[in-house]
Amino acid sequence: MSRTLKVRYFAWVRERIGKTDEDVDVPDSVVTVADLVTFLTARGEEYAYAFENPKVIRAAIDRKHVKPQTALGQATEIAFFPPMTGG
Amino acid sequence: MSRTLKVRYFAWVRERIGKTDEDVDVPDSVVTVADLVTFLTARGEEYAYAFENPKVIRAAIDRKHVKPQTALGQATEIAFFPPMTGG
Amino acid sequence: MATISTVRIQSEPFDVAAEAVKITRGRTDAGAVVTFTGICRGDENGEPIAALTLEHYPGMAETEIESHVAEAAARWPLIGVTVIHRYGRLVPGEDIMMVVTVSSHRAAAFEAADFLMDYLKTRAPFWKQVEKAGATTWVEAKAEDDAAAERWTTGKPEAAE
Amino acid sequence: MATISTVRIQSEPFDVAAEAVKITRGRTDAGAVVTFTGICRGDENGEPIAALTLEHYPGMAETEIESHVAEAAARWPLIGVTVIHRYGRLVPGEDIMMVVTVSSHRAAAFEAADFLMDYLKTRAPFWKQVEKAGATTWVEAKAEDDAAAERWTTGKPEAAE
């Protein structure tokens, strides 16, 4: 079983992965945000590079900040990005 | 012996005295700012009214704030006014 | 007090004076208007900057800034607040962002602007890229700015009590 | 740092945005512009105001404000400061005075503007007359404003160290 999640990337996470966003088939074994990072990391070198230091990666589900241990739940969109720096 | 001093009035001191400024012949017995207030107070009711509460009167000699005990010295201009209130 | 609040994220330049007038026009309860404009500087730590590129998360950025504007409006008696933040490539001398706060009294306008500025310059949902001598690098979050922003996390300001 | 400073006392209206541009135009070291505009309100303690009349001591007022501007420039690293204060009769909604501070960083611009505002609104060499319901009264110095101004008399601000 799996479902499709829209995943968006910003700043250097976007640059390293080489995409602004993509639809990802996420297996049911992926429960939390941290699980998704692990799952994505296994997809290829560009993902491994983007997520090489998970501590500095921030995530938002449906445009709200979430923690690594947050469950994906009914999310339709998840975004990964570095800490925000302001204007 | 006396000398002439330009005396200026502002705000309600000006209103009570009814003049913006005047040249006053000041006798040599008037040494300090406080002496001048006493001297002016004796000139008439309007002066007595303006200076009825000397504590709230502020003075400047040649455009610098001075205290009641300051000597008039070589002053050419002295001003009396209420405490400043800002804009 | 109902606060007139506006948040916009745009690539186009803005007119801070016109934004202030939109709040104050035709009313006589506004006694204090504070504006802050953040400008792209031509150097950083002594090194010349060619440009700054700001990226944001459309939809999320507006919502986040709006929630901080709502917090300012709850803390201080404000007549109006406007925040405009630009994105895209900006060269030195160009405006980056602005805050306008309008209140009856100066303390509320000042403190609310300071609070919003600290947030916008440190934790607002933007990522900044700097072009220097041909190389382009992402700006990292500054600890110094975070400390300024943290002043606001404890207690309530006097003006709100 | 040489600070561009301007002090004007005038009866005519001013244009705060134009004054800010006079400082920042053509330079790329300005990162933060703070403006404060004080506006004549339509009421005081719930009573409607018809007008405010400001009187000053020509010559002395400019010198006093200039000395406070010089103090701000000594305390904070400012690129420019402009203070304009109006005199004469002003009706509700009209601008009374303005401060613009420009610096490389926001803390200096903010703190210097706050410092100058506290001075200008409390101890600047002006006397204020209020017209209410036909009666005209002189405004007395406020203890509350004095307390705000006194914040600046002890120690040096962080930004100056």
Side-chain angles (χ1 to χ4, degrees), chain B residues 35-49 51:
Chain B
D35 292 346
L36 182 59
V37 169
T38 306
F39 175 76
L40 290 169
T41 298
R43 280 164 73 101
E45 273 181 20
E46 66 276 33
Y47 293 93
Y49 180 37
F51 295 116

PDB file of all heavy atoms in Angstrom, chain B residues 35-49 51:
ATOM      1  N   ASP B  35      17.294  87.776  40.733  1.00  0.00           N
ATOM      2  CA  ASP B  35      17.212  89.221  41.008  1.00  0.00           C
ATOM      3  C   ASP B  35      16.387  89.908  39.923  1.00  0.00           C
ATOM      4  O   ASP B  35      15.574  90.797  40.206  1.00  0.00           O
ATOM      5  CB  ASP B  35      18.604  89.872  41.008  1.00  0.00           C
ATOM      6  CG  ASP B  35      19.477  89.431  42.181  1.00  0.00           C
ATOM      7  OD1 ASP B  35      18.936  88.834  43.133  1.00  0.00           O
ATOM      8  OD2 ASP B  35      20.701  89.678  42.118  1.00  0.00           O
ATOM      9  N   LEU B  36      16.597  89.493  38.674  1.00  0.00           N
ATOM     10  CA  LEU B  36      15.888  90.117  37.564  1.00  0.00           C
ATOM     11  C   LEU B  36      14.388  89.818  37.645  1.00  0.00           C
ATOM     12  O   LEU B  36      13.554  90.693  37.384  1.00  0.00           O
ATOM     13  CB  LEU B  36      16.466  89.647  36.218  1.00  0.00           C
ATOM     14  CG  LEU B  36      15.823  90.270  34.961  1.00  0.00           C
ATOM     15  CD1 LEU B  36      15.959  91.796  34.955  1.00  0.00           C
ATOM     16  CD2 LEU B  36      16.441  89.671  33.695  1.00  0.00           C
ATOM     17  N   VAL B  37      14.047  88.574  38.059  1.00  0.00           N
ATOM     18  CA  VAL B  37      12.632  88.214  38.219  1.00  0.00           C
ATOM     19  C   VAL B  37      12.002  89.127  39.273  1.00  0.00           C
ATOM     20  O   VAL B  37      10.911  89.674  39.075  1.00  0.00           O
ATOM     21  CB  VAL B  37      12.471  86.717  38.583  1.00  0.00           C
ATOM     22  CG1 VAL B  37      11.038  86.407  39.017  1.00  0.00           C
ATOM     23  CG2 VAL B  37      12.875  85.836  37.397  1.00  0.00           C
ATOM     24  N   THR B  38      12.699  89.315  40.377  1.00  0.00           N
ATOM     25  CA  THR B  38      12.195  90.185  41.456  1.00  0.00           C
ATOM     26  C   THR B  38      12.028  91.623  40.949  1.00  0.00           C
ATOM     27  O   THR B  38      11.003  92.275  41.186  1.00  0.00           O
ATOM     28  CB  THR B  38      13.178  90.168  42.653  1.00  0.00           C
ATOM     29  OG1 THR B  38      13.391  88.807  43.026  1.00  0.00           O
ATOM     30  CG2 THR B  38      12.634  90.953  43.830  1.00  0.00           C
ATOM     31  N   PHE B  39      13.016  92.081  40.212  1.00  0.00           N
ATOM     32  CA  PHE B  39      12.989  93.440  39.648  1.00  0.00           C
ATOM     33  C   PHE B  39      11.803  93.611  38.692  1.00  0.00           C
ATOM     34  O   PHE B  39      11.058  94.596  38.763  1.00  0.00           O
ATOM     35  CB  PHE B  39      14.322  93.703  38.927  1.00  0.00           C
ATOM     36  CG  PHE B  39      14.370  95.016  38.205  1.00  0.00           C
ATOM     37  CD1 PHE B  39      14.543  96.225  38.905  1.00  0.00           C
ATOM     38  CD2 PHE B  39      14.249  95.080  36.814  1.00  0.00           C
ATOM     39  CE1 PHE B  39      14.597  97.445  38.223  1.00  0.00           C
ATOM     40  CE2 PHE B  39      14.288  96.283  36.131  1.00  0.00           C
ATOM     41  CZ  PHE B  39      14.462  97.477  36.837  1.00  0.00           C
ATOM     42  N   LEU B  40      11.605  92.614  37.807  1.00  0.00           N
ATOM     43  CA  LEU B  40      10.511  92.695  36.827  1.00  0.00           C
ATOM     44  C   LEU B  40       9.149  92.614  37.520  1.00  0.00           C
ATOM     45  O   LEU B  40       8.212  93.333  37.152  1.00  0.00           O
ATOM     46  CB  LEU B  40      10.629  91.574  35.784  1.00  0.00           C
ATOM     47  CG  LEU B  40      11.790  91.687  34.790  1.00  0.00           C
ATOM     48  CD1 LEU B  40      11.950  90.389  33.992  1.00  0.00           C
ATOM     49  CD2 LEU B  40      11.594  92.869  33.824  1.00  0.00           C
ATOM     50  N   THR B  41       9.055  91.761  38.542  1.00  0.00           N
ATOM     51  CA  THR B  41       7.795  91.567  39.272  1.00  0.00           C
ATOM     52  C   THR B  41       7.274  92.903  39.821  1.00  0.00           C
ATOM     53  O   THR B  41       6.063  93.146  39.864  1.00  0.00           O
ATOM     54  CB  THR B  41       8.007  90.550  40.417  1.00  0.00           C
ATOM     55  OG1 THR B  41       8.393  89.307  39.823  1.00  0.00           O
ATOM     56  CG2 THR B  41       6.742  90.337  41.231  1.00  0.00           C
ATOM     57  N   ALA B  42       8.205  93.778  40.190  1.00  0.00           N
ATOM     58  CA  ALA B  42       7.848  95.071  40.776  1.00  0.00           C
ATOM     59  C   ALA B  42       7.377  96.090  39.735  1.00  0.00           C
ATOM     60  O   ALA B  42       6.914  97.174  40.070  1.00  0.00           O
ATOM     61  CB  ALA B  42       9.053  95.628  41.551  1.00  0.00           C
ATOM     62  N   ARG B  43       7.515  95.723  38.444  1.00  0.00           N
ATOM     63  CA  ARG B  43       7.172  96.690  37.396  1.00  0.00           C
ATOM     64  C   ARG B  43       5.681  96.841  37.156  1.00  0.00           C
ATOM     65  O   ARG B  43       5.259  97.763  36.452  1.00  0.00           O
ATOM     66  CB  ARG B  43       7.818  96.275  36.061  1.00  0.00           C
ATOM     67  CG  ARG B  43       9.270  96.649  35.967  1.00  0.00           C
ATOM     68  CD  ARG B  43       9.937  95.893  34.849  1.00  0.00           C
ATOM     69  NE  ARG B  43       9.566  96.354  33.517  1.00  0.00           N
ATOM     70  CZ  ARG B  43      10.315  97.158  32.755  1.00  0.00           C
ATOM     71  NH1 ARG B  43      11.465  97.605  33.221  1.00  0.00           N
ATOM     72  NH2 ARG B  43       9.914  97.501  31.556  1.00  0.00           N
ATOM     73  N   GLY B  44       4.854  95.915  37.647  1.00  0.00           N
ATOM     74  CA  GLY B  44       3.413  96.050  37.434  1.00  0.00           C
ATOM     75  C   GLY B  44       2.685  94.745  37.629  1.00  0.00           C
ATOM     76  O   GLY B  44       3.311  93.681  37.779  1.00  0.00           O
ATOM     77  N   GLU B  45       1.366  94.847  37.611  1.00  0.00           N
ATOM     78  CA  GLU B  45       0.519  93.670  37.866  1.00  0.00           C
ATOM     79  C   GLU B  45       0.745  92.538  36.874  1.00  0.00           C
ATOM     80  O   GLU B  45       0.710  91.369  37.237  1.00  0.00           O
ATOM     81  CB  GLU B  45      -0.961  94.070  37.766  1.00  0.00           C
ATOM     82  CG  GLU B  45      -1.496  94.588  39.065  1.00  0.00           C
ATOM     83  CD  GLU B  45      -2.983  94.946  38.955  1.00  0.00           C
ATOM     84  OE1 GLU B  45      -3.659  94.445  38.015  1.00  0.00           O
ATOM     85  OE2 GLU B  45      -3.442  95.728  39.785  1.00  0.00           O
ATOM     86  N   GLU B  46       0.912  92.911  35.582  1.00  0.00           N
ATOM     87  CA  GLU B  46       1.078  91.868  34.567  1.00  0.00           C
ATOM     88  C   GLU B  46       2.344  91.060  34.817  1.00  0.00           C
ATOM     89  O   GLU B  46       2.373  89.839  34.613  1.00  0.00           O
ATOM     90  CB  GLU B  46       1.045  92.466  33.150  1.00  0.00           C
ATOM     91  CG  GLU B  46       2.185  93.387  32.782  1.00  0.00           C
ATOM     92  CD  GLU B  46       1.992  94.837  33.226  1.00  0.00           C
ATOM     93  OE1 GLU B  46       1.371  95.076  34.286  1.00  0.00           O
ATOM     94  OE2 GLU B  46       2.476  95.743  32.512  1.00  0.00           O
ATOM     95  N   TYR B  47       3.393  91.730  35.308  1.00  0.00           N
ATOM     96  CA  TYR B  47       4.640  91.028  35.629  1.00  0.00           C
ATOM     97  C   TYR B  47       4.455  90.170  36.877  1.00  0.00           C
ATOM     98  O   TYR B  47       4.916  89.027  36.948  1.00  0.00           O
ATOM     99  CB  TYR B  47       5.786  92.021  35.837  1.00  0.00           C
ATOM    100  CG  TYR B  47       6.175  92.760  34.574  1.00  0.00           C
ATOM    101  CD1 TYR B  47       5.616  93.996  34.265  1.00  0.00           C
ATOM    102  CD2 TYR B  47       7.101  92.211  33.688  1.00  0.00           C
ATOM    103  CE1 TYR B  47       5.953  94.672  33.105  1.00  0.00           C
ATOM    104  CE2 TYR B  47       7.448  92.872  32.519  1.00  0.00           C
ATOM    105  CZ  TYR B  47       6.872  94.108  32.230  1.00  0.00           C
ATOM    106  OH  TYR B  47       7.217  94.770  31.091  1.00  0.00           O
ATOM    107  N   ALA B  48       3.770  90.733  37.866  1.00  0.00           N
ATOM    108  CA  ALA B  48       3.534  89.989  39.114  1.00  0.00           C
ATOM    109  C   ALA B  48       2.744  88.713  38.797  1.00  0.00           C
ATOM    110  O   ALA B  48       3.013  87.647  39.364  1.00  0.00           O
ATOM    111  CB  ALA B  48       2.767  90.869  40.102  1.00  0.00           C
ATOM    112  N   TYR B  49       1.785  88.818  37.871  1.00  0.00           N
ATOM    113  CA  TYR B  49       0.966  87.671  37.465  1.00  0.00           C
ATOM    114  C   TYR B  49       1.834  86.621  36.747  1.00  0.00           C
ATOM    115  O   TYR B  49       1.792  85.419  37.051  1.00  0.00           O
ATOM    116  CB  TYR B  49      -0.163  88.186  36.569  1.00  0.00           C
ATOM    117  CG  TYR B  49      -1.126  87.143  36.057  1.00  0.00           C
ATOM    118  CD1 TYR B  49      -1.529  86.054  36.845  1.00  0.00           C
ATOM    119  CD2 TYR B  49      -1.681  87.272  34.777  1.00  0.00           C
ATOM    120  CE1 TYR B  49      -2.440  85.123  36.364  1.00  0.00           C
ATOM    121  CE2 TYR B  49      -2.586  86.338  34.291  1.00  0.00           C
ATOM    122  CZ  TYR B  49      -2.959  85.252  35.087  1.00  0.00           C
ATOM    123  OH  TYR B  49      -3.853  84.338  34.605  1.00  0.00           O
ATOM    124  N   PHE B  51       5.016  86.131  36.943  1.00  0.00           N
ATOM    125  CA  PHE B  51       6.047  85.522  37.795  1.00  0.00           C
ATOM    126  C   PHE B  51       5.513  85.083  39.158  1.00  0.00           C
ATOM    127  O   PHE B  51       6.289  84.882  40.087  1.00  0.00           O
ATOM    128  CB  PHE B  51       7.222  86.500  37.973  1.00  0.00           C
ATOM    129  CG  PHE B  51       7.965  86.794  36.685  1.00  0.00           C
ATOM    130  CD1 PHE B  51       7.973  88.079  36.148  1.00  0.00           C
ATOM    131  CD2 PHE B  51       8.646  85.780  36.018  1.00  0.00           C
ATOM    132  CE1 PHE B  51       8.661  88.357  34.955  1.00  0.00           C
ATOM    133  CE2 PHE B  51       9.334  86.055  34.824  1.00  0.00           C
ATOM    134  CZ  PHE B  51       9.335  87.334  34.298  1.00  0.00           C
TER     135      PHE B  51
END
